[in-house]
Amino acid sequence: MIELVPAIDIIDGKCVRLSQGDFTRKTIYNEDPVEVALEFEANGIRRLHIVDLDGAKAHHIVNWRLLEMICAKTALRIDFGGGLKSTADLEIAFSSGAQMVTGGSIAVKEPEEFAGWIEKYGAEKIILGADVKDDKIAVGGWMEDTDIKWDSFIQEYISKGIEKVISTDISKDGMLEGPSLDLYQQMLKKFPTLYLIASGGISSVDDIAALESIGVPSVIFGKAIYEGKIKLRDLLPFLD
């Protein structure tokens, strides 16, 4: 059964969604992310993906108090990302209740630091963010392109112990046009033991079923829920 992971993206303490990572294309969906998390939990969700978009811009963790509040009021298993650039940031995230953290930009810009996190905290707590634009890795809240191919990037960190990867096809994110099935099929074929967490483009439960059918073990989605294209009750068949 595919793991369902709703996303809460935070700017100015509010639950928002961007389109293709563009901060100028922002929609506010709820003033209270804690309320959103509680609703997810009440409908059988067990996992949550929180992105500190303020942190991604500031290059350090910002919304840790909201993380702390969500962890205090729910039993959701949370992975947290956005602006994690130092071990001090990680310690704040973990002490605020996150079970896992996601690092993308730092894995590109400070590979030794990121590899040190894997060694220190263990692969079960560190998720690699591999966000893809035209087959290359993009970083800095998707505002910076690189020349790094996604396959070599993932391969390098698998060799350093990484087991879980969140991958977003940036062209799909927030567009509600369906996920990048071809990309994920390529990833799973090349790295069959990878715990791949697909993200971006989910517009319906059919999209979730399509990902499950090709063997994707986990999926992150957000805008489809907030726009009402997926009702929480529609997710019941995927929840054991």
Side-chain angles (χ1 to χ4, degrees), residues 25-176:
R25 298 163 70 189
K26 174 184 73 176
T27 304
I28 298 170
Y29 287 105
N30 195 300
E31 300 280 336
D32 185 1
V34 179
E35 181 180 278
V36 176
L38 285 165
E39 185 177 7
F40 286 146
E41 186 178 45
N43 283 274
I45 294 294
R46 299 188 181 95
R47 276 269 282 113
L48 187 63
H49 176 66
I50 297 180
V51 182
D52 181 358
L53 289 172
D54 292 314
K57 250 189 168 179
H59 304 294
H60 61 82
I61 191 168
V62 172
N63 285 297
W64 60 271
R65 289 193 182 278
L66 270 172
L67 168 64
E68 195 173 58
M69 290 171 64
I70 290 170
C71 290
K73 294 189 176 184
T74 75
L76 295 166
R77 294 180 65 247
I78 294 171
D79 77 80
F80 185 86
L84 302 177
K85 303 293 188 240
S86 68
T87 299
D89 286 328
L90 254 68
E91 294 291 351
I92 293 169
F94 286 135
S95 65
S96 298
Q99 281 88 2
M100 295 161 280
V101 296
T102 301
S105 299
I106 191 164
V108 172
K109 297 183 175 183
E110 303 285 345
E112 291 183 7
E113 177 89 357
F114 189 73
W117 293 356
I118 302 167
E119 186 175 347
K120 179 176 181 179
Y121 298 101
E124 69 278 3
K125 288 194 168 186
I126 307 296
I127 304 172
L128 177 66
D131 298 324
V132 179
K133 182 178 180 181
D134 299 326
D135 281 334
K136 306 284 181 63
I137 296 296
V139 297
W142 305 343
M143 293 182 283
E144 301 173 45
D145 298 335
T146 76
D147 291 322
I148 303 169
K149 293 276 287 185
W150 64 259
D151 51 353
S152 60
F153 181 66
I154 293 173
Q155 179 63 66
E156 179 179 355
Y157 280 107
I158 286 178
S159 72
K160 294 177 180 178
I162 275 292
E163 298 170 356
K164 297 178 181 179
V165 172
I166 294 175
S167 183
T168 305
D169 181 338
I170 294 168
S171 69
K172 300 284 188 180
D173 187 69
M175 304 308 290
L176 298 174

Side-chain angles (χ1 to χ4, degrees), residues 207-227:
D207 288 336
I208 296 173
L211 287 167
E212 185 175 47
S213 73
I214 65 169
V216 173
S218 184
V219 57
I220 290 172
F221 51 94
K223 193 170 186 177
I225 285 281
Y226 302 123
E227 295 276 344

